Structures are given as C-alpha cells and as structure tokens.
Amino acid sequence: MQRLSVPLIGNILTLSLATVAMTLTSAYSATAGTLDLNFTKLQGLTGGNSGMTGVYRADLSNLGFDISSIAITDSNSAIGGAPGKFTAFDFDAIKISNVLVNNATDAKNLSGLNVFDFTSSGTFFTPGTQRSPVDPEPLFGVSGGGIIDNSLATLQNFDGNSTADANAFGFVSLGDGGTVVFNFKNPISTTSPLYLYIGEAGDNGEVVNGRITVSDKLRQVPEPTSLAAVSLLGIYFAVSRKKKTKAA
Ligand SMILES: [Ca+2]
Ligand SMILES: [Ca+2]
Ligand SMILES: [Ca+2]
C-alpha cells in the first residue's frame, strides 16, 4: 500500500501544475495589451552644454489599458552618429506626463510622473552591437556589469552632452538593436491625457521611431509558472519525506 502512494501523489502534482498553467494563460490573454507607438518630434533642441538633444513625444491617452512597462529599442538602422561605445540611439531622458508640450525646452522643464525606477530593479538593458571600430569597454552609460549607470546616463533629465569624447555625459548609447525596458513603480492609468517624452542626444538621425511598445505587464520578472512549479515540487518532496519517515 505504501508503494502506491508515491505515483498517486505524482498524478495530483501533474494536475495541479496543469491547472496553474491554464489559469495563467487565460489571465494573460484576457488582459494583455501591447502596442507600438508613433512619435512626433518637438520643436527646437535641449540638453546639457551642447544643447543638441532632440525630443520626441508619443500620445498614451486612452490606450484602453493601464500601462505597467515600456520597452524602447534602437531601430538597428546602423545610420548616424559615432561608432564604438557611442553606437546607435543615445538615450538622454524619458518622462511621462499629463501635460502636453510642443517644444524641447518645455519637455526638459516638465517634472513628469514619479513612475520610473532607474536602478537595476526597475530598468533592464539588453545591449545592441557596437559598430567598428569596437571599443574594449561597454557602451557609453553602461557599467561593466551590463547595467545602465544612471549617475552617467541621468535618464530623468534632458541634460545630455552629445559629444563622442571625454566630455560625453547624460545619456546611454543603446548599440544597434539594443533595448531598454522600464517597469513602472505603479500601473499608470491612460484614461486622462498622458504623454511620453524621450530624448536623443546629438539629434543626428539615430532613431527608435516605431520601436517602442507599452504593456499592461511588467517585463523581465521570474516566470510565475516556474515559481509555482518550484513550490509544488517542494510540497511533493515534503510529502514523500513524511511518508518515508512514517514507513520506517
Ligand atoms: Ca550614437
Ligand atoms: Ca540624461
Ligand atoms: Ca545621437
């Protein structure tokens, strides 16, 4: 009789996992909302000493879902700007605001909603490739660990010094095809007027236009199914051990 109990527990485990997986799948498809955004370039330029940051605005109003994350990907066009560690879109700043502005200086002066966590807990970077000649160090604004160094990138401010030399400051270069994902501190309602502003240091033809997605989901977090599997497996082992102890 004791030998039968182990396969029986095995079947219960399988059923439980299947149920968990089905629930998560249906919850995802019921609420999933991801879309690509189009951008309008604002008048004028802003930034730090060089004052060469171009600012782009996207309308997030009335998307039909609250947004929890945003992903920004370089166009991978391999056009414009400097090579090496300065390759591709030079990301100066990102803001989300209920206020509509039409020129770059006004975007710089916006306070913006307090939704971003620019540490590695809320900001995830997948580097793109450097164009030749490749630098031995990581892309500009990125630490040796592959994490955005926000003391250098200052993604909360449109303050980029858009030079490809020792004076460079205030941005992170994404590399060709690189991606940054921001998980917001709280979901943002889109039922009121809502606008996204991003800046490109140098304003020199490096774009992410059409390569930005917003989602009602957080990204880059541990898979819920894996966690469920681990915890159920833990229960299984606990039960097995208990039986064994009993049998002995
Ligand atoms: Ca660049
Ligand atoms: Ca900046
Ligand atoms: Ca640039």
Side-chain angles (χ1 to χ4, degrees):
M1 287 303 284
Q2 282 296 334
R3 288 183 64 192
L4 282 175
S5 66
V6 173
L8 187 60
I9 290 166
N11 286 336
I12 292 166
L13 176 70
T14 307
L15 282 172
S16 302
L17 279 173
T19 308
V20 168
M22 281 171 66
T23 307
L24 288 172
T25 305
S26 58
Y28 186 84
S29 51
T31 58
T34 302
L35 78 157
D36 293 337
L37 297 174
N38 289 316
F39 276 81
T40 302
K41 190 176 183 193
L42 303 193
Q43 296 156 15
L45 299 171
T46 184
N49 294 338
S50 61
M52 288 293 288
T53 291
V55 181
Y56 297 82
R57 182 188 69 216
D59 190 349
L60 301 178
S61 314
N62 303 310
L63 293 183
F65 56 91
D66 293 351
I67 52 174
S68 293
S69 65
I70 184 165
I72 297 182
T73 302
D74 174 74
S75 66
N76 207 14
S77 67
I79 294 170
K85 65 181 181 180
F86 296 106
T87 298
F89 188 85
D90 307 299
F91 197 170
D92 185 335
I94 182 167
K95 289 182 183 180
I96 291 179
S97 172
N98 300 116
V99 179
L100 177 70
V101 297
N102 293 307
N103 71 69
T105 305
D106 288 347
K108 177 175 178 156
N109 293 331
L110 278 177
S111 54
L113 299 177
N114 179 22
V115 293
F116 291 99
D117 173 0
F118 292 117
T119 73
S120 58
S121 301
T123 300
F124 308 94
F125 182 55
T126 306
T129 52
Q130 293 190 21
R131 286 175 223 153
S132 182
V134 171
D135 286 311
E137 63 264 44
L139 289 157
F140 185 78
V142 179
S143 74
I147 293 164
I148 291 177
D149 177 359
N150 204 48
S151 66
L152 203 53
T154 60
L155 291 175
Q156 70 279 13
N157 292 325
F158 292 97
D159 60 355
N161 288 340
S162 316
T163 54
D165 57 24
N167 294 318
F169 176 78
F171 62 90
V172 54
S173 298
L174 300 189
D176 283 326
T179 298
V180 187
V181 174
F182 301 98
N183 279 347
F184 301 141
K185 293 177 182 175
N186 313 105
I188 309 169
S189 168
T190 59
T191 54
S192 304
L194 192 68
Y195 304 96
L196 170 69
Y197 299 90
I198 61 168
E200 202 282 315
D203 187 43
N204 49 357
E206 298 171 299
V207 292
V208 292
N209 205 1
R211 299 299 306 276
I212 300 199
T213 57
V214 292
S215 173
D216 65 343
K217 294 282 184 293
L218 296 174
R219 318 271 186 100
Q220 302 273 329
V221 292
E223 287 291 324
T225 45
S226 306
L227 289 176
V230 166
S231 67
L232 284 171
L233 213 56
I235 292 165
Y236 171 72
F237 284 139
V239 171
S240 302
R241 198 175 165 190
K242 198 176 170 188
K243 291 282 182 193
K244 202 175 177 181
T245 307
K246 244 182 185 176

